[in-house]
Amino acid sequence: MAFFALRLAGPAALTVGGLVWLAAVLASGGSLAGLAAFAGLFFIAVLCAGRFLARLAAPGLEEAANLAAAFCLGLGVLLVSWWALGRWGAWAALAPGLVLGAAGAAGWLREKPRLRPRLPGGAVSLLMLFMGMFLFFHAFWGVLPAATPERLGVWTYNQDLLWSVGNAASGAFGAPFGDMRMAGYTLHYHFLNDLAAGLLARAAGASAWAGLAFYWYAPVGLLTLGALWALAKRLGAGDWLAALAAGAVFFMNSRFSEQPFHLFTNTNGMGTALLGLCGVLLLADRALEGEKPSRAFWPGFFLACAALSMIKSTLGALALCALAAAAVVSLVTGRRSLPMAGLAGLCAAAFGACWALVFRGAVNNLMFSGLERVGELPEALVNASLLGLVLYLASLPWSLAHFRRLTFVQLCVNAIAVGGAAAFALYTHYSFSQVYFLLAAIPMWWLAAMPALECYGRWLAARRAALRPLGAAALGAACLCAFGWQLTDVVPECREGVQAALRCAGLRMSQPTEESVLSGDWQAARWLEENSDPAEIFATNRNNKTFAGSDGVFHFYTAASERRGYLESYRYALDYDNAYAETRRRLEEVSDAIFYRLSEEEAFDLAAREGIDWLLVSTQVEGWPQWQRTPDFANDAVRLYRVPA
């Protein structure tokens, strides 16, 4: 009876979590029509297109692994087609993926898949239970706090969210990838997560805001859980331990860990990058299994590595180092090293291509700090994932004892587990971006420990049959404690989502602060999108310079209007474009002159000479200019003026 209840719990949790997520999307400003169109395009242009290529490059992958590989390959196709065709719009950029996706869908239908509704097995049900919980927490931590100002009335947004939404809108302007906050400047940044969501949303007739904040990450997060499960099985874990490992990555970290925040919200694309990393490792594992890889595998693997690098460059670099380290170890231990060296070489070529085309123009603020922070590492690792760290350390004797028999992908996972933690300690960044090395290492601790736990379980059973259930019970109790420990951090973080839900329902109001976004700001931004040409740019007095303690990260108007700004913010651009870092002072001086120093006529004349088409005046900024001419749009929050040619 208990086992039947467990088999029922997974589908029930997934259903409830899906309904909660759907309700959150609709309450936040999404629509059923937009969601359905987005989901259809995601399925055909990304998954089916990638599945078509995966069947050519790596036939024989089981379905969960196939989906992870398909996601990487589908995003790789989208990246290449956008670079070549993106200037002609979202549909042109998606066209190659849609053609391949139609072929992939037709092939899948020819296989005559049998869809027989039945209760899943216990391990699959456990995985579905974690999926349902993910959707629930994503709804309250990721979706509802990103509800549109039209629904919330007054809200202070996470600026990383608005930065990413602006990036999602930027894809509509074609390659090279431009910075929405500073028109005319290139963003030398890993933008594929934002680009994909934005292109799918535009083709679906939805806003970039809805595409990235509401529709994109739910299917990606579910695919990530499935990919972790598939990778754990390929490493040697049984079905139960594989399901436990996948859920543990999301739900069994320590308190105050960065991991749940990034995995439930996909801030800066970390959740998507983890899926990409799993896809690359699964493809590498398949290439070295049994027969020699097909000719189609090598360009496919190059495409997957390029996609990973453009989702998150730090994880692309870690994958490259791990593949290279595993290839060297394989050479030293006398294994067939030529295919392994080929994998490392292709990953290096893919990362090098991304570096040459995109990253080379960025300012490198990731500094090597040597051994200065190594003393802080033990505390950081414990705070990141105590149980995962303990299990990984406990598995090391087994791994060392079987070192010569570790598979290539097991070597890669261990390399990322150790290398990610080491890179976190050895590098520093002014905005703590070195944490992404650690966030990549944490899942690998869990995955690397699973084969050893499986062997320990068999060893206990061989010693005495009753010992294995006792060991499983001890592991389950430890996991429940870790789960409860993380919940004490996650549940309070969901209060923001509850407050957002109450405001969407009109049950709670709040007073605006200087950093708040009002419904009037949203109305003005949407009016600007509807009444301006995509090539036009605007300047605004709300560029965060006048706020106390400002660090120049206000990104709302570009995100909501999907129009480029002359200077809306500047902090992040200092990292991602050398040219802007050298010329930002002039743009700031021009912006200040327009809004604060010149007369009305002189201000509009200067704006026209600078190629500015609209002036957006926020009344929340102290000393905002009260010009005499009639604005083209006005409400309590914003005045919009057309600049005469």
Side-chain angles (χ1 to χ4, degrees):
M1 185 65 184
F3 185 69
F4 176 79
L6 176 60
R7 292 180 65 190
L8 190 62
L14 185 56
T15 301
V16 171
L19 291 174
V20 170
W21 169 76
L22 179 60
V25 166
L26 297 179
S28 298
S31 69
L32 281 175
L35 174 60
F38 186 96
L41 289 168
F42 178 86
F43 179 72
I44 298 295
V46 177
L47 288 186
C48 286
R51 194 175 188 273
F52 177 79
L53 296 179
R55 287 178 60 82
L56 296 175
L61 284 173
E62 65 176 33
E63 196 57 40
N66 199 15
L67 286 173
F71 180 81
C72 286
L73 293 170
L75 281 194
V77 170
L78 187 148
L79 174 64
V80 173
S81 60
W82 170 80
W83 201 279
L85 306 171
R87 72 189 68 178
W88 291 290
W91 281 105
L94 292 174
L98 291 171
V99 172
L100 291 174
W108 181 73
L109 290 174
R110 280 196 298 269
E111 295 172 6
K112 298 180 181 179
R114 296 179 180 180
L115 301 177
R116 291 180 292 183
R118 58 181 181 180
L119 287 178
V124 175
S125 184
L126 178 62
L127 181 65
M128 294 174 71
L129 177 65
F130 287 130
M131 288 179 170
M133 292 164 55
F134 159 74
L135 288 174
F136 180 86
F137 286 114
H138 172 55
F140 280 95
W141 204 349
V143 175
L144 284 166
T148 64
E150 183 181 33
R151 300 299 178 91
L152 292 170
V154 177
W155 198 249
T156 301
Y157 288 94
N158 180 302
Q159 291 301 330
D160 285 337
L161 166 70
L162 300 182
W163 154 265
S164 293
V165 171
N167 292 342
S170 182
F173 297 95
F177 197 81
D179 192 334
M180 293 289 285
R181 280 68 51 173
M182 282 74 54
Y185 290 87
T186 300
L187 194 65
H188 301 280
Y189 181 72
H190 38 237
F191 52 72
L192 186 52
N193 174 76
D194 305 339
L195 171 69
L199 290 177
L200 293 171
R202 182 167 288 272
S207 66
W209 188 300
L212 185 76
F214 305 153
Y215 306 151
W216 170 253
Y217 188 53
V220 169
L222 296 178
L223 288 171
T224 304
L225 280 161
L228 289 166
W229 182 62
L231 184 54
K233 290 174 65 177
R234 293 302 307 163
L235 289 168
D239 286 350
W240 283 96
L241 279 180
L244 179 65
V249 170
F250 278 75
F251 294 102
M252 298 176 195
N253 302 287
S254 302
R255 279 200 73 188
F256 312 119
S257 171
E258 292 274 346
Q259 185 82 341
F261 168 70
H262 284 85
L263 290 184
F264 289 132
T265 65
N266 199 32
T267 296
N268 295 325
M270 185 61 208
T272 308
L274 179 57
L275 174 56
L277 180 61
C278 291
V280 166
L281 292 176
L282 286 164
L283 281 171
D285 181 64
R286 182 69 184 89
L288 300 172
E289 181 186 26
E291 301 176 1
K292 186 172 70 172
S294 66
R295 291 181 180 179
F297 171 81
W298 302 108
F301 189 72
F302 176 90
L303 200 61
C305 291
L308 172 61
S309 299
M310 290 308 301
I311 296 169
K312 200 79 182 168
S313 58
T314 46
L315 268 67
L318 274 180
L320 167 58
C321 294
L323 289 166
V328 170
V329 169
S330 300
L331 176 64
V332 171
T333 53
R335 299 181 233 189
R336 58 180 186 130
S337 56
L338 187 59
M340 301 174 184
L343 293 173
L346 271 179
C347 188
F351 189 84
C354 295
W355 180 270
L357 292 172
V358 180
F359 304 142
R360 184 177 59 179
V363 179
N364 181 23
N365 282 309
L366 189 64
M367 300 299 182
F368 182 73
S369 58
L371 302 179
E372 294 177 8
R373 298 177 54 251
V374 171
E376 305 170 12
L377 186 60
E379 181 181 0
L381 299 185
V382 169
N383 289 338
S385 182
L386 175 60
L387 183 57
L389 178 64
V390 168
L391 292 178
Y392 179 66
L393 294 176
S395 74
L396 285 179
W398 179 89
S399 297
L400 293 173
H402 297 81
F403 187 72
R404 286 183 171 271
R405 286 184 286 171
L406 292 181
T407 66
F408 184 74
V409 75
Q410 285 176 329
L411 291 172
C412 289
V413 165
N414 278 280
I416 297 172
V418 175
F424 171 74
L426 296 175
Y427 287 89
T428 187
H429 189 271
Y430 74 91
S431 61
F432 200 55
S433 289
Q434 72 271 17
V435 75
Y436 295 111
F437 291 122
L438 181 59
L439 297 184
I442 294 170
M444 302 303 129
W445 298 347
W446 287 98
L447 294 174
M450 292 301 116
L453 288 176
E454 194 72 41
C455 287
Y456 291 158
R458 288 196 293 267
W459 179 81
L460 287 174
R463 300 272 296 185
R464 183 175 296 177
L467 289 178
R468 182 161 184 167
L470 288 176
L475 177 61
C479 289
L480 283 175
C481 290
F483 175 66
W485 195 14
Q486 180 174 314
L487 280 187
T488 60
D489 192 32
V490 171
V491 171
E493 291 292 341
C494 290
R495 287 181 299 184
E496 187 179 28
V498 174
Q499 293 172 1
L502 293 174
R503 291 180 187 180
C504 288
L507 300 177
R508 175 171 292 185
M509 302 298 293
S510 65
Q511 293 298 317
T513 67
E514 65 177 8
E515 295 189 8
S516 296
V517 173
L518 311 180
S519 59
D521 292 310
W522 174 264
Q523 293 164 8
R526 301 309 295 169
W527 185 93
L528 180 61
E529 182 192 19
E530 294 168 3
N531 293 273
S532 63
D533 186 89
E536 295 178 343
I537 68 173
F538 71 90
T540 178
N541 64 327
R542 191 171 183 183
N543 55 23
N544 222 197
K545 283 186 60 184
T546 58
F547 293 165
S550 164
D551 56 0
V553 290
F554 184 79
H555 310 129
F556 174 77
Y557 294 124
T558 46
S561 70
E562 303 186 29
R563 294 293 179 263
R564 293 172 296 175
Y566 179 79
L567 173 68
E568 186 183 30
S569 58
Y570 53 86
R571 175 63 262 174
Y572 292 165
L574 293 175
D575 290 354
Y576 303 124
D577 190 348
N578 277 314
Y580 177 73
E582 296 169 359
T583 61
R584 70 172 266 223
R585 294 297 180 191
R586 178 186 172 277
L587 297 183
E588 291 179 27
E589 290 171 1
V590 170
S591 183
D592 290 347
I594 289 173
F595 292 106
Y596 299 112
R597 293 204 299 268
L598 298 179
S599 67
E600 181 174 337
E601 292 302 324
E602 291 172 332
F604 277 79
D605 287 343
L606 178 57
R609 291 198 302 273
E610 290 292 319
I612 297 169
D613 302 286
W614 296 86
L615 295 178
L616 190 156
V617 177
S618 170
T619 61
Q620 287 182 264
V621 179
E622 185 178 353
W624 59 277
Q626 302 186 37
W627 291 320
Q628 297 303 309
R629 65 186 66 196
T630 302
D632 293 81
F633 174 90
N635 59 26
D636 291 341
V638 170
R639 308 283 190 271
L640 263 169
Y641 299 88
R642 176 82 190 193
V643 177

